[in-house]
Amino acid sequence: MSNKSTRCSACKYLRRKCSEDCILAPHFPATDPERFVHVHKIFGAGNVSRMLQKLPYNEREVAANSISYEAYLRVQDPVYGIAGTITNLQEEIHRKQQELVRIKAEIAIYTAGNL
Amino acid sequence: MAQAKNNNSCTRKNIMASSQSNSSTNSTPPCAACKLLRRKCIPGCIFAPYFPPDDPQKFANVHKIFGASNITKLLNDLLPYQREDAVNSLAYEAEARMKDPVYGCVGAISVLQKQVQRLQNELDAANTNLLRYACNIVDIPSSMDRLPLMGSTSSTGLGEGSVGGGDLYHHHHASGLPIPYTQAWGNNNRSNYHPPGDMDEMDGGERSM
């Protein structure tokens, strides 16, 4: 089939013809237009195409997913983006570690009392 | 007439020399962004406060991943007091993406989420033990330590099997954001990117317990 009947969401958004070898088509299907909107807003179609082109085929899907995820988080939080999520996770880890220390100290008290 | 032309030429040269000497003595160096983009760094350049000339790599990374025009749009949409944090987080993201073109920062998220889940499991077990002691249950045989964990006390709301389990969506309570991401890459060992901060200290602290 020489002509694609359905354009990918990227080509649809960019109002261009979606070629058979469109590098974005496998990762930005027409069924999820919002995904490309976020990615284009944050990274730009050209940058994403370039990034994907530099990767081997078997790594492009994962890269597209991680790029989409970062773009999504940046749209949600324009100031911190994914870095905010990382910070929150680090803080949660710190809180849980502190709680664990506290609980183990309490257990140690009970253990000492039972000796 | 020839003399008039010469005079004009000398005048123009003098003006240019004068302006050059003024620019060399009075002008500030262009910011890293304008230097890379080879353009004049005008007063009020949106990049100048955040991309000083002594750190060219910062802008180089950001430009390579996001593009200068996208950064301009992003910064223009923010209030001035938010821009520094935004630039720093973008620089962080860009650097992570340069180091790991496949996973970028997302690799770090996976590692941290696993750490959170591991800690939560430990907390659940420790709380169970504490409860036994608090209720004066003595001489607990070691086999009882393998009792099933209590109901989810996780503040993350991750629940069992939601990490690395292939769930399409799970919620991370601390961030308050849904994370629409497949976990197909979640068990990777590829990412060796450590986010800034005290991950090493945390690992060390964890081991010390």
Side-chain angles (χ1 to χ4, degrees):
Chain A
M1 190 167 92
S2 58
N3 294 326
K4 286 181 83 170
S5 55
T6 311
R7 289 184 291 175
C8 70
S9 61
C11 293
K12 203 167 183 179
Y13 185 88
L14 298 170
R15 295 180 187 178
R16 67 186 189 194
K17 188 180 171 186
C18 192
S19 64
E20 280 294 321
D21 58 351
C22 173
I23 195 168
L24 298 175
H27 315 295
F28 298 99
T31 49
D32 191 359
E34 208 174 324
R35 176 170 151 116
F36 180 74
V37 168
H38 293 153
V39 163
H40 183 53
K41 183 177 179 179
I42 303 302
F43 291 94
N47 286 332
V48 175
S49 299
R50 190 174 37 80
M51 283 192 267
L52 292 178
Q53 216 143 29
K54 287 182 181 175
L55 295 170
Y57 284 105
N58 61 330
E59 291 184 336
R60 287 180 187 176
E61 185 181 356
V62 177
N65 284 341
S66 71
I67 288 168
S68 301
Y69 183 54
E70 282 189 31
Y72 170 80
L73 287 181
R74 180 62 64 174
V75 167
Q76 297 295 311
D77 182 356
V79 180
Y80 297 104
I82 196 170
T85 306
I86 289 173
T87 303
N88 288 340
L89 281 167
Q90 289 175 328
E91 285 172 358
E92 186 169 359
I93 285 168
H94 186 63
R95 276 195 305 272
K96 287 186 189 299
Q97 285 172 332
Q98 284 186 316
E99 196 181 339
L100 198 58
V101 166
R102 184 186 62 77
I103 292 172
K104 286 186 176 181
E106 283 190 46
I107 291 173
I109 292 170
Y110 278 112
T111 310
N114 284 336
L115 288 173
Chain B
M1 186 128 171
Q3 192 175 4
K5 276 189 183 173
N6 279 340
N7 285 342
N8 284 340
S9 166
C10 287
T11 306
R12 276 200 297 274
K13 280 182 188 171
N14 286 339
I15 290 170
M16 283 176 67
S18 170
S19 68
Q20 278 174 1
S21 68
N22 279 344
S23 65
S24 65
T25 54
N26 296 336
S27 67
T28 52
C31 70
C34 292
K35 197 168 182 182
L36 186 80
L37 299 171
R38 295 181 186 179
R39 66 187 194 190
K40 190 177 174 189
C41 192
I42 57 171
C45 168
I46 197 167
F47 294 126
Y50 317 112
F51 296 104
D54 57 356
D55 190 2
Q57 195 60 47
K58 185 178 177 184
F59 183 77
N61 291 344
V62 164
H63 179 50
K64 188 156 189 185
I65 300 300
F66 298 102
S69 59
N70 286 334
I71 298 296
T72 304
K73 285 181 213 167
L74 280 166
L75 293 181
N76 278 330
D77 284 345
L78 295 173
L79 297 169
Y81 75 91
Q82 296 174 311
R83 288 175 185 167
E84 186 176 3
D85 284 347
V87 165
N88 288 338
S89 66
L90 286 163
Y92 174 83
E93 256 185 78
E95 190 184 351
R97 184 60 62 177
M98 298 283 286
K99 287 181 181 177
D100 187 346
V102 179
Y103 293 96
C105 274
V106 180
I109 297 244
S110 174
V111 169
L112 291 172
Q113 283 178 335
K114 284 178 187 171
Q115 202 172 349
V116 165
Q117 187 61 46
R118 195 170 65 242
L119 277 168
Q120 188 57 51
N121 292 344
E122 281 190 59
L123 270 172
D124 290 343
N127 271 320
T128 304
N129 272 339
L130 183 62
L131 196 60
R132 289 180 197 144
Y133 280 110
C135 294
N136 286 328
I137 300 172
V138 296
D139 295 331
I140 300 168
S142 59
S143 60
M144 285 190 69
D145 288 339
R146 294 199 194 97
L147 283 175
L149 294 174
M150 296 166 74
S152 173
T153 56
S154 168
S155 67
T156 65
L158 288 175
E160 197 174 334
S162 64
V163 174
D167 280 354
L168 200 58
Y169 288 85
H170 60 271
H171 287 266
H172 180 249
H173 183 76
S175 68
L177 296 171
I179 305 178
Y181 197 82
T182 59
Q183 289 289 317
W185 51 269
N187 292 325
N188 75 90
N189 292 322
R190 207 174 168 280
S191 175
N192 58 1
Y193 183 81
H194 295 287
D198 41 342
M199 252 195 95
D200 289 338
E201 285 175 33
M202 287 172 194
D203 281 343
E206 195 180 359
R207 283 194 289 274
S208 68
M209 290 176 200

